[in-house]
Amino acid sequence: MSTVSSVTEAAEPATDRTVVGENLSLPLFRTLSGVLAGHPYLKVVVDRAESTWHLLDTAAHPFHVDYIATRVLGMDVAELDASLDEFNASVYMDPERRFLLGVLSLHTDGDVEGRERTFLVLETTEADTMHGELLEFFYSFVRERLDGRLPLLLKPANHGQEEALAAISEQRVPRILSHQLFGTRTRTPLNPGEATGRLHHFRTVEEYRAAAGGLGWSDIVAMPCLPDDVQRVAGFINTMPITPLSHTNVLASGWGIPNAIIRDLDQLVEKGGLAGAWVRYRVREDEITLERMEEVPPLRAPAWHQQRVRLEPPHLEDAPVLSLHRLRAADRDRYGTKAANLGELHHVLDSRTADLTAFYGRPRPPRENLYGHLAARLGLDAPSAVELRAAAASFVAETVEAPEGVALPFSLMHRFLTSAPALQQGIGKLKMALELDATDVLDPLCRQLQHLVRHTPMPESVAQEITRACRAPLAAGNRLVVRSSSNAEDLPGFSAAGVYDSVTAVRGAGELLDAVRQVWASLLSPRSVRLRHQVDISPDETYMGVIIQEYVPAALGGVLVTCDPTRREDFRNVYLNCSPGSPEQIVEGKTLPQQYLYNTVEGGGRTVALGSSGEPLSVATRARLADLSLTGRLLQSHFGAPEPDGPLDIEWLMTDQGGFRLVQIRPYAL
């Protein structure tokens, strides 16, 4: 729904069919409605002062507020634009408001006997703060003016409305929740885009593995759930539910290729003869299509095939093992991007000097900025710029903490590699194979090198530096987590999500050294070498730092991105996934997480899906997640690249003590 924006007034179509005061039949609904996400919909405005309603012709009136202001109240567009936020507050947040704004959408499903059932759903915008009495009045007013044969359900638009309705009988106000309405939808966009290619439909991972060697940039891969090590192709299709924040969708976003859930793909393939056919594949917010092409089209290599990534030269001179809090963003060329970003996060939280309001300072026409909305989110009344910045910094520092740990520099890996002639010879062979494009020998060379890295003894000086930095947790027998921190990951245009290894259950010095070698070896896996080669990153440019941390038990873990991955133009919402335990379960696709959207402009949140658990989080926990989402948005002002609009991908934990800990922060590719 788009209801809290304004547009420049255009000439109205001559056939404006807006209706005032009439009852609504199904034929009239179809006459006035548009289509959004595959469902016919109609905007309605209830005027409590006049005890009537307006059924808006969707083609003529795309925004509720423009219609009310210009057609009902006699304002002109310039007058509306000058006071848009105040006007929005009067129609969406005033408990005594005159106008009630909503959308009716038409849906079908099957009853218990398999017969098709048609019903209408009434909802408001996500930012609407209607209390229970208003929601009941709104539902009853609309219900009385509908064809009695059409069932009507109210869909709460946010968590606040869900809570307001909890005290009202479902007999008086029948309702349906968002995840109930859309959780089983047949087609769901994950990453918008368009591709032309040959469709390969695999039923199992084994089928995919057998064919993977023959796939290339002109292929579209469809299977129940794509593996994390899927290679670069023209497009992805999942035939089973998956989160937009999975590793494979992060890759799809970074590569700029379409990705969607199409649960009825078997029927589409059979009906259209699409198996192995050339197709045009389009993923949009409101439509997903697969169109068979009778002739092989002229092909152009996708944008990612032309992509080139330039790295800063790695610094390989001896550098100390450092605590994360001693690093800054500029240390990425010695310790890797992940470690440097966590060090920068420590600095932001400790110093409270960074400007975390820049995202809200961007013009959002007709608004000059969103500072007033940020002040409201922080509970401030007309603060100065200095006060707003200080409040934002304090809010973030009080909501989240950065993880403790140590970072191993590139120089340790360099000393290890140069200590063994066999490793040097293997790396030389690998570089030669890449230069000659000898793809038939590339994978065996990589696997051989990985084996050498994992089993070559470390120089004693290197081993001592690593174990000395972790002396206390090793002596206590504590569980450690060892993570990658390369200079070829977490970059704009090259996330490398899921490409490098982490080892999450390490105890003792021996296991620690083995885990460090395993993380180093992941830099030489066939997949990581191929992906870097495709963007012109050479082996000489790439090194692996390592982060070592004590394991922290988590009551809840997840991922948030400071955007809505399926709606690129949405500057309001933060998309958050979570499940009990570690965030790795989400990004690796091991569980279907709970999914939420939180509005960081007007406020409020809503449930997208309950995931594998099937149970909602408590009201108190959802409120905490709203604070976490606002924190992510504020951090975007500092970490966003290249502008504050650059969204972030943040992995987080809620500890057993109830605090939030951010364990990774990186750009989210759009």
Side-chain angles (χ1 to χ4, degrees):
M1 297 176 60
S2 53
T3 53
V4 285
S5 299
S6 180
V7 294
T8 302
E9 187 172 37
E12 296 288 359
T15 55
D16 181 355
R17 297 160 295 185
T18 293
V19 172
V20 180
E22 292 187 18
N23 286 353
L24 181 63
S25 63
L26 193 54
L28 179 58
F29 177 93
R30 295 190 185 280
T31 298
L32 299 174
S33 66
V35 177
L36 182 64
H39 298 284
Y41 77 100
L42 172 64
K43 289 183 170 66
V44 300
V45 174
V46 170
D47 186 341
R48 298 170 71 200
E50 299 292 336
S51 192
T52 190
W53 70 338
H54 302 245
L55 308 176
L56 275 56
D57 181 350
T58 303
H61 302 292
F63 298 107
H64 289 86
V65 291
D66 290 344
Y67 175 83
I68 295 170
T70 60
R71 296 303 182 89
V72 180
L73 300 179
M75 300 169 63
D76 60 37
V77 172
E79 185 181 359
L80 172 62
D81 285 351
S83 60
L84 182 59
D85 288 331
E86 292 82 0
F87 190 89
N88 281 333
S90 74
V91 295
Y92 295 120
M93 299 169 189
D94 185 345
E96 304 300 326
R97 69 193 75 171
R98 170 182 171 180
F99 299 104
L100 306 180
L101 284 56
V103 167
L104 281 166
S105 55
L106 187 66
H107 300 261
T108 58
D109 66 6
D111 62 18
V112 292
E113 298 179 359
R115 294 172 299 193
E116 188 175 88
R117 177 184 72 139
T118 300
F119 61 98
L120 287 168
V121 171
L122 176 67
E123 63 180 305
T124 71
T125 183
E126 64 198 34
D128 200 299
T129 61
M130 280 193 202
H131 53 71
E133 184 180 342
L134 266 186
L135 287 166
E136 184 174 2
F137 173 86
F138 191 31
Y139 174 85
S140 300
F141 191 99
V142 173
R143 172 71 276 175
E144 291 170 3
R145 289 157 179 80
L146 288 181
D147 184 330
R149 294 168 295 181
L150 278 174
L152 176 67
L153 302 175
L154 179 68
K155 182 169 81 67
N158 51 53
H159 293 147
Q161 289 188 5
E162 289 181 25
E163 294 158 23
L165 285 169
I168 299 174
S169 165
E170 291 199 36
Q171 291 184 329
R172 298 210 314 262
V173 182
R175 69 206 66 165
I176 189 168
L177 301 180
S178 180
H179 65 268
Q180 295 170 327
L181 185 62
F182 298 119
T184 58
R185 64 168 62 174
T186 303
R187 301 176 192 175
T188 304
L190 295 174
N191 194 63
E194 180 174 335
T196 298
R198 190 187 298 272
L199 179 64
H200 297 269
H201 184 197
F202 304 110
R203 267 73 177 183
T204 65
V205 173
E206 290 73 25
E207 285 185 14
Y208 165 77
R209 299 282 186 219
L215 298 175
W217 61 261
S218 60
D219 294 303
I220 295 169
V221 174
M223 56 192 300
C225 184
L226 286 94
D228 279 354
D229 62 355
V230 64
Q231 64 191 75
R232 282 192 169 197
V233 289
F236 293 159
I237 298 173
N238 302 267
T239 60
M240 294 294 290
I242 192 170
T243 168
L245 303 188
S246 66
H247 273 152
T248 52
N249 198 51
V250 172
L251 292 174
S253 179
W255 296 340
I257 63 174
N259 187 18
I261 300 168
I262 305 180
R263 301 176 74 169
D264 61 342
L265 185 66
D266 284 346
Q267 298 95 300
L268 292 180
V269 167
E270 182 177 350
K271 181 179 179 180
L274 301 180
W278 288 92
V279 299
R280 181 174 289 113
Y281 173 37
R282 293 189 181 97
V283 177
R284 299 189 179 94
E285 178 192 346
D286 59 351
E287 185 180 34
I288 300 168
T289 59
L290 276 171
E291 176 188 351
R292 181 186 173 96
M293 307 186 74
E294 298 304 328
E295 297 181 359
V296 178
L299 297 176
R300 292 188 304 171
W304 65 258
H305 201 263
Q306 316 297 328
Q307 183 185 12
R308 297 293 179 264
V309 175
R310 294 287 176 259
L311 300 183
E312 299 173 11
H315 288 261
L316 304 178
E317 68 275 9
D318 283 347
V321 178
L322 289 180
S323 296
L324 288 175
H325 72 265
R326 295 182 60 187
L327 301 182
R328 295 292 300 274
D331 291 312
R332 64 175 63 91
D333 55 2
R334 289 180 174 83
Y335 296 87
T337 313
K338 189 180 299 180
N341 284 347
L342 290 177
E344 186 71 15
L345 177 62
H346 272 281
H347 172 74
V348 168
L349 299 181
D350 293 342
S351 70
R352 304 193 183 190
T353 58
D355 180 8
L356 303 183
T357 69
F359 175 89
Y360 289 86
R362 305 275 288 185
R364 306 289 177 182
R367 306 168 183 84
E368 292 184 5
N369 57 63
L370 299 175
Y371 286 142
H373 288 283
L374 176 57
R377 302 284 70 75
L378 297 175
L380 303 176
D381 184 18
S384 68
V386 172
E387 291 170 334
L388 187 63
R389 287 180 58 169
S394 295
F395 178 86
V396 169
E398 292 163 5
T399 303
V400 301
E401 61 181 23
E404 301 298 328
V406 298
L408 309 186
F410 298 159
S411 59
L412 290 185
M413 182 184 186
H414 179 65
R415 284 161 55 189
F416 169 72
L417 293 177
T418 55
S419 71
L423 285 171
Q424 289 297 292
Q425 292 169 7
I427 291 172
K429 291 179 181 179
L430 175 62
K431 290 160 61 176
M432 181 64 70
L434 291 171
E435 290 174 8
L436 298 176
D437 202 23
T439 56
D440 55 331
V441 301
L442 187 61
D443 288 11
L445 278 174
C446 288
R447 284 190 286 268
Q448 182 182 15
L449 264 173
Q450 285 189 285
H451 179 82
L452 280 171
V453 170
R454 292 192 189 104
H455 295 91
T456 297
M458 281 189 191
E460 186 62 26
S461 62
V462 174
Q464 286 182 359
E465 285 193 51
I466 295 171
T467 55
R468 187 164 53 244
C470 303
R471 182 183 295 118
L474 287 173
N478 294 343
R479 177 179 168 181
L480 300 175
V481 177
V482 180
R483 303 180 185 276
S484 67
S485 182
S486 169
N487 61 337
E489 64 179 322
D490 296 355
L491 304 173
F494 193 78
S495 73
V499 171
Y500 305 122
D501 286 355
S502 293
V503 187
T504 59
V506 175
R507 295 184 188 274
E511 288 188 11
L512 174 59
L513 297 180
D514 288 344
V516 170
R517 280 192 295 256
Q518 180 177 333
V519 173
W520 283 344
S522 66
L523 194 70
L524 297 164
S525 71
R527 182 176 182 236
S528 68
V529 169
R530 286 180 182 275
L531 289 176
R532 292 194 303 272
H533 184 58
Q534 288 169 351
V535 295
D536 205 28
I537 298 175
S538 77
D540 290 333
E541 295 179 291
T542 315
Y543 274 82
M544 180 67 76
V546 177
I547 300 170
I548 304 172
Q549 301 165 292
E550 289 193 55
Y551 172 77
V552 177
L556 199 66
V559 182
L560 69 84
V561 293
T562 58
C563 65
D564 181 345
T566 64
R567 296 184 61 200
R568 303 294 176 83
E569 74 284 359
D570 181 4
F571 60 85
R572 291 179 164 83
N573 285 295
V574 163
Y575 197 96
L576 184 146
N577 284 190
C578 61
S579 65
S582 166
E584 276 84 0
Q585 297 179 72
I586 294 173
V587 296
E588 293 173 5
K590 293 180 179 178
T591 185
L592 284 176
Q594 295 176 326
Q595 301 175 43
Y596 299 94
L597 278 168
Y598 286 97
N599 185 325
T600 58
V601 177
E602 288 86 9
R606 64 188 189 275
T607 303
V608 177
L610 292 181
S612 302
S613 70
E615 295 293 330
L617 296 171
S618 69
V619 172
T621 299
R622 292 193 314 223
R624 297 288 317 285
L625 294 181
D627 288 345
L628 177 64
S629 298
L630 179 56
T631 293
R633 176 70 81 203
L634 292 169
L635 288 173
Q636 183 176 344
S637 295
H638 185 75
F639 288 92
E643 299 290 342
D645 275 348
L648 299 180
D649 174 345
I650 298 174
E651 292 185 18
W652 56 271
L653 301 173
M654 178 185 279
T655 66
D656 290 342
Q657 290 72 41
F660 288 118
R661 179 171 297 185
L662 306 189
V663 297
Q664 183 164 320
I665 184 167
R666 62 186 176 190
Y668 180 76
L670 282 181

Coordinates of all heavy atoms in Angstrom, one line a residue, residues 312-358:
E312 N 42.1 -2.9 -2.7 CA 43.3 -2.2 -2.2 C 44.4 -3.2 -2.0 O 44.1 -4.4 -1.5 CB 43.0 -1.5 -0.8 CG 41.9 -0.5 -0.9 CD 41.5 0.0 0.4 OE1 42.2 -0.3 1.4 OE2 40.5 0.7 0.5
P313 N 45.6 -2.9 -2.3 CA 46.7 -3.9 -2.1 C 46.8 -4.3 -0.7 O 46.8 -3.5 0.2 CB 48.0 -3.1 -2.6 CG 47.5 -2.0 -3.4 CD 46.1 -1.7 -2.9
P314 N 46.9 -5.6 -0.4 CA 47.0 -6.1 1.0 C 48.4 -5.8 1.6 O 49.4 -5.9 0.9 CB 46.8 -7.6 0.9 CG 47.2 -8.0 -0.5 CD 46.8 -6.8 -1.4
H315 N 48.4 -5.4 2.8 CA 49.6 -5.1 3.5 C 50.1 -6.4 4.2 O 49.4 -6.9 5.1 CB 49.5 -4.0 4.5 CG 49.3 -2.6 3.9 ND1 50.4 -1.8 3.8 CD2 48.2 -2.0 3.3 CE1 49.9 -0.7 3.2 NE2 48.6 -0.8 2.9
L316 N 51.2 -6.9 3.8 CA 51.7 -8.2 4.3 C 52.9 -8.1 5.2 O 53.4 -9.2 5.7 CB 52.1 -9.1 3.1 CG 51.0 -9.3 2.0 CD1 51.5 -10.1 0.8 CD2 49.8 -9.9 2.7
E317 N 53.3 -6.9 5.5 CA 54.4 -6.8 6.5 C 53.9 -7.2 7.9 O 52.7 -7.1 8.1 CB 54.9 -5.4 6.6 CG 54.0 -4.3 7.1 CD 53.0 -3.8 6.1 OE1 53.0 -4.3 4.9 OE2 52.3 -2.8 6.4
D318 N 54.8 -7.6 8.7 CA 54.4 -8.1 10.1 C 53.5 -7.1 10.8 O 53.8 -5.9 10.9 CB 55.6 -8.5 10.9 CG 56.2 -9.8 10.5 OD1 55.6 -10.5 9.8 OD2 57.3 -10.1 10.9
A319 N 52.3 -7.6 11.3 CA 51.4 -6.8 12.1 C 51.0 -7.6 13.3 O 51.0 -8.8 13.2 CB 50.2 -6.4 11.2
P320 N 50.7 -7.0 14.4 CA 50.4 -7.7 15.6 C 48.9 -8.3 15.5 O 48.1 -7.8 14.8 CB 50.5 -6.7 16.7 CG 50.1 -5.4 16.0 CD 50.7 -5.5 14.6
V321 N 48.7 -9.3 16.3 CA 47.4 -9.8 16.6 C 46.7 -8.7 17.5 O 47.3 -8.4 18.6 CB 47.4 -11.2 17.3 CG1 45.9 -11.6 17.6 CG2 48.0 -12.2 16.4
L322 N 45.6 -8.2 17.1 CA 45.0 -7.1 17.9 C 43.5 -7.5 18.4 O 42.8 -8.3 17.7 CB 44.9 -5.9 17.1 CG 46.2 -5.1 16.7 CD1 45.9 -3.9 15.9 CD2 46.9 -4.7 18.0
S323 N 43.1 -6.9 19.5 CA 41.7 -7.0 19.9 C 40.9 -6.2 18.9 O 41.3 -5.2 18.4 CB 41.6 -6.4 21.3 OG 42.3 -7.2 22.3
L324 N 39.7 -6.7 18.7 CA 38.8 -6.1 17.7 C 38.6 -4.6 18.0 O 38.5 -3.8 17.1 CB 37.5 -6.8 17.6 CG 37.4 -8.2 17.0 CD1 36.1 -8.8 17.1 CD2 37.8 -8.1 15.5
H325 N 38.5 -4.3 19.3 CA 38.2 -2.9 19.6 C 39.3 -1.9 19.2 O 39.1 -0.7 19.2 CB 37.8 -2.7 21.1 CG 39.0 -2.9 22.0 ND1 39.3 -4.1 22.6 CD2 39.9 -2.0 22.5 CE1 40.4 -3.9 23.4 NE2 40.8 -2.6 23.3
R326 N 40.5 -2.4 18.9 CA 41.6 -1.6 18.5 C 41.7 -1.3 17.0 O 42.5 -0.6 16.5 CB 42.9 -2.2 19.0 CG 43.1 -2.3 20.5 CD 44.4 -2.8 20.9 NE 45.5 -2.0 20.5 CZ 46.8 -2.4 20.6 NH1 47.1 -3.5 21.2 NH2 47.8 -1.6 20.2
L327 N 40.8 -2.0 16.2 CA 40.8 -1.8 14.8 C 39.9 -0.7 14.4 O 38.9 -0.3 15.1 CB 40.3 -3.1 14.1 CG 41.2 -4.4 14.4 CD1 40.6 -5.5 13.6 CD2 42.6 -4.1 14.0
R328 N 40.1 -0.1 13.2 CA 39.2 0.8 12.6 C 39.0 0.4 11.1 O 39.6 -0.6 10.6 CB 39.8 2.2 12.6 CG 40.0 2.8 14.0 CD 38.7 3.1 14.6 NE 37.9 4.1 13.9 CZ 38.0 5.4 14.0 NH1 38.9 5.9 14.8 NH2 37.2 6.2 13.2
A329 N 38.1 1.1 10.4 CA 37.7 0.7 9.1 C 38.9 0.6 8.2 O 39.0 -0.2 7.2 CB 36.7 1.6 8.5
A330 N 39.9 1.5 8.4 CA 41.1 1.6 7.5 C 42.0 0.4 7.6 O 42.9 0.2 6.8 CB 41.9 2.9 7.8
D331 N 41.7 -0.5 8.6 CA 42.6 -1.6 8.8 C 42.2 -2.8 8.0 O 42.7 -3.9 8.1 CB 42.6 -2.1 10.3 CG 43.3 -1.1 11.2 OD1 44.4 -0.7 10.8 OD2 42.7 -0.7 12.2
R332 N 41.2 -2.6 7.0 CA 40.7 -3.7 6.2 C 41.9 -4.3 5.4 O 41.8 -5.5 5.0 CB 39.6 -3.3 5.3 CG 39.9 -2.2 4.3 CD 38.8 -1.9 3.4 NE 37.6 -1.4 4.1 CZ 37.4 -0.1 4.3 NH1 38.3 0.8 3.9 NH2 36.4 0.3 5.0
D333 N 42.9 -3.5 5.0 CA 43.9 -4.1 4.1 C 45.0 -4.8 4.9 O 46.0 -5.3 4.3 CB 44.6 -2.9 3.3 CG 45.1 -1.8 4.2 OD1 45.0 -1.9 5.5 OD2 45.6 -0.8 3.7
R334 N 44.8 -5.0 6.2 CA 45.7 -5.8 7.1 C 45.0 -6.9 7.8 O 45.6 -8.0 8.0 CB 46.4 -4.9 8.1 CG 47.5 -4.0 7.6 CD 48.1 -3.2 8.7 NE 49.2 -2.4 8.2 CZ 49.1 -1.2 7.7 NH1 47.9 -0.6 7.5 NH2 50.2 -0.5 7.3
Y335 N 43.7 -6.7 8.1 CA 43.0 -7.7 8.9 C 41.7 -8.1 8.2 O 41.0 -9.0 8.8 CB 42.6 -7.0 10.3 CG 43.8 -6.7 11.1 CD1 44.5 -5.5 11.0 CD2 44.4 -7.6 12.0 CE1 45.6 -5.2 11.8 CE2 45.5 -7.3 12.8 CZ 46.1 -6.1 12.7 OH 47.2 -5.8 13.4
G336 N 41.4 -7.6 7.1 CA 40.1 -8.0 6.4 C 39.0 -7.1 6.7 O 38.9 -6.4 7.8
T337 N 38.0 -7.1 5.8 CA 36.9 -6.2 5.9 C 36.0 -6.5 7.1 O 35.5 -5.6 7.8 CB 36.0 -6.3 4.7 OG1 36.9 -6.2 3.5 CG2 35.0 -5.2 4.6
K338 N 35.7 -7.8 7.4 CA 34.8 -8.1 8.5 C 35.4 -7.7 9.9 O 34.7 -7.0 10.7 CB 34.6 -9.6 8.5 CG 33.5 -10.1 9.5 CD 33.4 -11.6 9.5 CE 33.0 -12.1 8.1 NZ 32.8 -13.6 8.0
A339 N 36.7 -7.9 10.1 CA 37.3 -7.5 11.4 C 37.4 -6.0 11.5 O 37.1 -5.4 12.5 CB 38.7 -8.1 11.5
A340 N 37.7 -5.3 10.3 CA 37.8 -3.9 10.3 C 36.4 -3.2 10.6 O 36.3 -2.3 11.4 CB 38.3 -3.4 9.0
N341 N 35.3 -3.8 10.1 CA 34.0 -3.3 10.3 C 33.6 -3.4 11.8 O 33.0 -2.5 12.4 CB 33.0 -3.9 9.4 CG 33.0 -3.4 8.0 OD1 33.7 -2.4 7.7 ND2 32.4 -4.1 7.1
L342 N 34.0 -4.6 12.4 CA 33.6 -4.8 13.8 C 34.5 -3.8 14.7 O 34.0 -3.3 15.7 CB 33.9 -6.2 14.2 CG 32.9 -7.2 13.6 CD1 33.3 -8.6 14.0 CD2 31.5 -6.9 14.0
G343 N 35.7 -3.6 14.3 CA 36.5 -2.6 15.0 C 35.9 -1.2 14.9 O 35.9 -0.5 15.9
E344 N 35.4 -0.9 13.7 CA 34.8 0.4 13.5 C 33.5 0.5 14.4 O 33.2 1.6 14.9 CB 34.5 0.7 12.1 CG 34.0 2.0 11.7 CD 35.0 3.1 11.8 OE1 36.2 2.8 11.9 OE2 34.6 4.3 11.8
L345 N 32.8 -0.6 14.5 CA 31.6 -0.6 15.3 C 31.9 -0.3 16.7 O 31.2 0.5 17.4 CB 30.9 -1.9 15.1 CG 29.6 -2.1 16.0 CD1 28.5 -1.1 15.6 CD2 29.1 -3.6 15.8
H346 N 33.0 -0.9 17.3 CA 33.4 -0.6 18.6 C 33.7 0.9 18.8 O 33.2 1.5 19.8 CB 34.7 -1.4 18.9 CG 34.5 -2.8 19.5 ND1 34.2 -3.0 20.8 CD2 34.6 -4.0 18.9 CE1 34.1 -4.3 21.0 NE2 34.4 -4.9 19.9
H347 N 34.3 1.5 17.8 CA 34.6 2.9 17.9 C 33.4 3.7 17.9 O 33.2 4.7 18.7 CB 35.5 3.3 16.7 CG 35.7 4.8 16.6 ND1 36.5 5.5 17.5 CD2 35.2 5.7 15.7 CE1 36.5 6.8 17.1 NE2 35.7 6.9 16.1
V348 N 32.4 3.4 17.1 CA 31.2 4.2 17.0 C 30.4 4.1 18.3 O 29.9 5.1 18.8 CB 30.3 3.6 15.8 CG1 28.9 4.2 15.9 CG2 30.9 4.0 14.5
L349 N 30.4 2.9 18.9 CA 29.6 2.7 20.1 C 30.3 3.4 21.3 O 29.7 3.9 22.2 CB 29.4 1.2 20.4 CG 28.6 0.4 19.4 CD1 28.5 -1.0 19.8 CD2 27.2 1.1 19.2
D350 N 31.7 3.3 21.3 CA 32.4 3.8 22.5 C 32.5 5.4 22.4 O 32.4 6.0 23.5 CB 33.8 3.2 22.5 CG 33.8 1.7 22.8 OD1 32.7 1.2 23.3 OD2 34.8 1.0 22.5
S351 N 32.8 5.9 21.2 CA 33.1 7.3 21.2 C 31.8 8.2 21.1 O 31.8 9.3 21.6 CB 33.9 7.6 19.9 OG 33.1 7.4 18.7
R352 N 30.7 7.6 20.5 CA 29.4 8.3 20.3 C 29.6 9.6 19.6 O 28.9 10.6 19.8 CB 28.7 8.5 21.7 CG 28.5 7.3 22.4 CD 27.5 7.5 23.6 NE 27.4 6.2 24.4 CZ 26.5 6.1 25.3 NH1 25.6 7.0 25.6 NH2 26.4 4.9 26.0
T353 N 30.6 9.7 18.7 CA 30.9 11.0 18.0 C 30.4 10.9 16.5 O 30.3 11.9 15.9 CB 32.4 11.3 18.0 OG1 33.1 10.2 17.5 CG2 32.8 11.6 19.4
A354 N 30.1 9.7 16.0 CA 29.7 9.6 14.6 C 28.3 10.2 14.4 O 27.5 10.1 15.3 CB 29.7 8.1 14.2
D355 N 28.1 10.8 13.2 CA 26.8 11.3 12.9 C 25.9 10.1 12.4 O 26.2 9.6 11.3 CB 26.9 12.4 11.8 CG 25.5 12.9 11.4 OD1 24.5 12.6 12.1 OD2 25.5 13.7 10.4
L356 N 25.0 9.7 13.2 CA 24.1 8.6 12.8 C 22.8 9.0 12.3 O 21.8 8.2 12.2 CB 24.0 7.6 14.0 CG 25.3 7.1 14.6 CD1 25.0 6.1 15.7 CD2 26.1 6.4 13.5
T357 N 22.7 10.3 11.9 CA 21.4 10.8 11.5 C 21.3 11.1 10.0 O 20.3 11.6 9.5 CB 21.0 12.1 12.2 OG1 22.0 13.2 11.8 CG2 21.2 12.0 13.7
A358 N 22.4 10.8 9.3 CA 22.6 11.3 7.9 C 21.5 10.7 7.0 O 21.0 11.3 6.0 CB 23.9 10.9 7.3

